[in-house]
């Protein structure tokens, strides 16, 4: 309820200060909305409250709409020039896939018609494919146009990788695909490695800022 209250308060403020073309951090409106869909879907599965399933579905659909709005205005040059937050382009799709997967899992005990669940499974697979496709040019650009200089926005690179690993693990359970479990474990280790690199960069950045602070000997 606290998360929903914050979302209700903050989303209008964010949209009121909207600017285009959009950048990677602009996709956080989708990420925030889908995080509510994931949480509410899990609560619905555990509590058996149908209204929570409906709320999760509404949040999921709204999150997809917000992604489409941001993506339609996204500056594709950010894939080359971004300081790390451009990875949320794929991370937002990954958490949307996680939300859809959660709905597939939560819908079963409520007697949702098989046809509707089949559509939802198809949407989940499509979102997963789009997320995977989004990661390809992002990874390719890091190789062709490396950006070794540290920026705090690099933490926005860690999130999509961690989310990709989590989605693979969750989908392997819901869709009974062992290969997805192996993929999820591999991506999770990659995300941990990137986390360590970014954490080390953050520590160096903080230490340098403290040393260079005026008034310090």
């Amino acid at each position: 309820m606290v998360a929903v209250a914050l979302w209700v308060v903050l989303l209008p403020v964010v949209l009121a200060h909207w600017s285009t073309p959009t950048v990677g951090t602009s996709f956080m409106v989708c990420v925030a909305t889908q995080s509510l869909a994931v949480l509410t879907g899990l609560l619905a599965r555990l509590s058996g409250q149908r209204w929570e399933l409906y709320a999760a579905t509404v949040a999921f659909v709204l999150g997809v709409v917000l992604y489409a709005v941001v993506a339609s205005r996204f500056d594709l040059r950010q894939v080359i020039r971004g300081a790390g937050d451009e990875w949320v382009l794929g991370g937002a799709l990954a958490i949307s896939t996680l939300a859809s997967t959660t709905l597939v899992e939560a819908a079963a005990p409520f007697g949702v018609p098989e046809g509707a669940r089949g559509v939802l499974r198809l949407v989940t697979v499509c979102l997963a494919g789009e997320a995977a496709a989004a990661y390809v040019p992002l990874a390719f650009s890091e190789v062709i146009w490396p950006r070794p200089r540290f920026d705090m926005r690099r933490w926005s690179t860690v999130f999509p990788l961690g989310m990709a690993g989590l989605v693979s693990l969750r989908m392997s359970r819901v869709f009974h695909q062992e290969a997805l479990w192996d993929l999820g474990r591999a991506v999770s280790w990659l995300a941990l490695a990137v986390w360590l690199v970014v954490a080390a960069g953050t520590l160096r950045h903080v230490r340098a800022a403290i040393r260079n602070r005026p008034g310090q000997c």
Side-chain angles (χ1 to χ4, degrees):
M1 296 302 295
V2 172
V4 171
L6 288 173
W7 181 87
V8 169
V9 171
L10 294 175
L11 184 62
V13 177
V14 172
L15 295 180
H17 294 83
W18 196 253
S19 60
T20 55
T22 57
V23 295
T25 54
S26 304
F27 287 99
M28 291 305 296
V29 293
C30 168
V31 172
T33 306
Q34 295 294 18
S35 67
L36 293 179
V38 172
L39 179 57
T40 310
L42 289 173
L43 290 174
R45 183 169 63 87
L46 295 173
S47 68
Q49 296 293 325
R50 185 176 291 270
W51 72 268
E52 291 178 340
L53 180 63
Y54 294 154
T57 303
V58 171
F60 166 69
V61 173
L62 180 57
V64 171
V65 171
L66 288 171
Y67 183 90
V69 171
V70 176
S72 66
R73 294 163 173 78
F74 181 67
D75 182 5
L76 291 176
R77 292 173 297 182
Q78 287 292 311
V79 175
I80 299 174
R81 303 175 181 175
D85 61 309
E86 72 278 3
W87 279 82
V88 189
L89 170 70
L93 282 171
I95 195 172
S96 297
T97 307
L98 179 62
S100 184
T101 303
T102 302
L103 289 176
V104 170
E105 193 173 24
F110 290 97
V112 176
E114 181 59 32
R117 292 173 60 192
V119 171
L120 190 55
R121 284 193 290 268
L122 177 61
V123 170
T124 302
V125 172
C126 290
L127 285 173
E130 291 175 2
Y135 284 107
V136 173
L138 291 168
F140 182 78
S141 70
E142 295 284 357
V143 176
I144 303 301
W145 299 283
R147 282 145 279 183
R149 183 177 179 180
F150 178 77
D151 191 294
M152 279 295 180
R153 285 171 289 183
R154 268 302 175 190
W155 284 109
S156 298
T157 305
V158 178
F159 152 70
L161 293 174
M163 186 56 62
L166 177 59
V167 168
S168 297
L169 295 174
R170 286 291 300 279
M171 287 187 68
S172 71
R173 184 178 69 182
V174 175
F175 290 88
H176 308 291
Q177 295 292 328
E178 187 66 27
L180 289 175
W181 179 265
D182 296 333
L183 175 63
R185 291 184 62 185
V187 175
S188 296
W189 282 110
L190 174 62
L192 176 60
V194 175
W195 184 93
L196 291 172
V197 171
V198 176
T202 301
L203 290 176
R204 287 197 301 269
H205 178 77
V206 171
R207 289 174 59 186
I210 293 174
R211 286 198 304 267
N212 297 329
R213 189 171 60 183
Q216 295 292 320
C217 296

